[in-house]
Amino acid sequence: MQQRAHPPLLQVLTHLSEATTGRGSRLGAALIGALLACVGALAASTAGAATAPPGCANANLRPTAKDLGAADAATLCLVNRERTVRGLRALHANHELGHVAATQVVSMVHGDYFADIGPSGQTPMSLVDVTRYRAHAAEVAVGQNIAWGTGGDTTPAHIVQEWMASPPHREIMLSSEYRDAGVASTSAVPAVLNTRGRGATYVIEFGARL
């Protein structure tokens, strides 16, 4: 169950991914909710090859600087496949949430960190809070998943597969509350991760205007 009150933030870092949810009023800019602990990792030694379901073009694409848009679209397609086969509504691609996701992924790579909350304290909610996504909404709900991989683990199919294998990420992806999403990827990973070979970093923002 996703938190609705004001519990203390919980953060358990792994090498590869985290999940966070938040809720805020139109006047509130702080993250409200728990930063969910990540369980599971995108480790090449334990993950099998992901097979893309029918209808999601470029799901097995290894992103480069020239085709990030295709990787982003494939990621959202795969997330929506996981939702619709379970009777949940598909998420609508939202430009404002996509901009927030792009801000997050660029910030992590250039700021050399891997976390939902930036070194300056910026949160997914604080980024959404200053966008038009909040316009005319008394309240918004926000969720975020992040991930990185190298080699064959950079494909949208693999990233979504690993999010589904992690309970906190899966809970966010399959929440019936969210209506919109924005995805951003980049063909690089933060240097602090000390990876070998070409990699990619992904961010997906989930949102609902209430």
Side-chain angles (χ1 to χ4, degrees):
M1 175 179 288
Q2 297 187 30
Q3 300 293 322
R4 299 301 182 201
H6 300 258
L9 290 179
L10 172 64
Q11 184 172 20
V12 178
L13 294 178
T14 71
H15 293 295
L16 297 175
S17 61
E18 299 173 16
T20 187
T21 59
R23 199 185 251 279
S25 69
R26 195 158 36 137
L27 300 178
L31 176 69
I32 299 175
L35 177 62
L36 299 174
C38 170
V39 293
L42 306 181
S45 59
T46 59
T51 300
C56 289
N58 300 306
N60 292 315
L61 177 70
R62 298 187 186 188
T64 68
K66 297 179 180 180
D67 50 28
L68 297 178
D72 298 346
T75 302
L76 182 56
C77 176
L78 290 164
V79 169
N80 278 333
R81 287 281 296 179
E82 296 290 353
R83 291 175 62 89
T84 57
V85 297
R86 292 167 175 81
L88 299 167
R89 71 179 70 192
L91 301 169
H92 298 289
N94 180 271
H95 175 75
E96 299 295 336
L97 294 179
H99 178 72
V100 171
T103 299
Q104 285 283 74
V105 80
V106 170
S107 177
M108 285 193 290
V109 171
H110 290 282
D112 199 19
Y113 70 95
F114 183 74
D116 290 289
I117 299 176
S120 64
Q122 73 179 26
T123 66
M125 181 64 78
S126 68
L127 291 174
V128 171
D129 209 43
V130 296
T131 70
R132 289 179 294 177
Y133 189 75
R134 299 192 64 98
H136 310 298
E139 191 176 19
V140 296
V142 173
Q144 177 180 275
N145 284 351
I146 65 176
W148 66 268
T150 58
D153 294 344
T154 62
T155 67
H158 182 81
I159 295 297
V160 173
Q161 180 187 61
E162 294 300 334
W163 280 336
M164 285 296 293
S166 167
H169 301 83
R170 178 187 173 98
E171 181 179 3
I172 291 174
M173 284 173 55
L174 300 183
S175 171
S176 61
E177 180 173 40
Y178 297 124
R179 300 290 184 268
D180 310 302
V183 182
S185 59
T186 187
S187 55
V189 297
V192 69
L193 298 175
N194 295 316
T195 61
R196 295 183 179 180
R198 195 177 77 186
T201 306
Y202 286 74
V203 175
I204 181 169
E205 303 289 343
F206 301 86
R209 288 177 276 211
L210 308 173

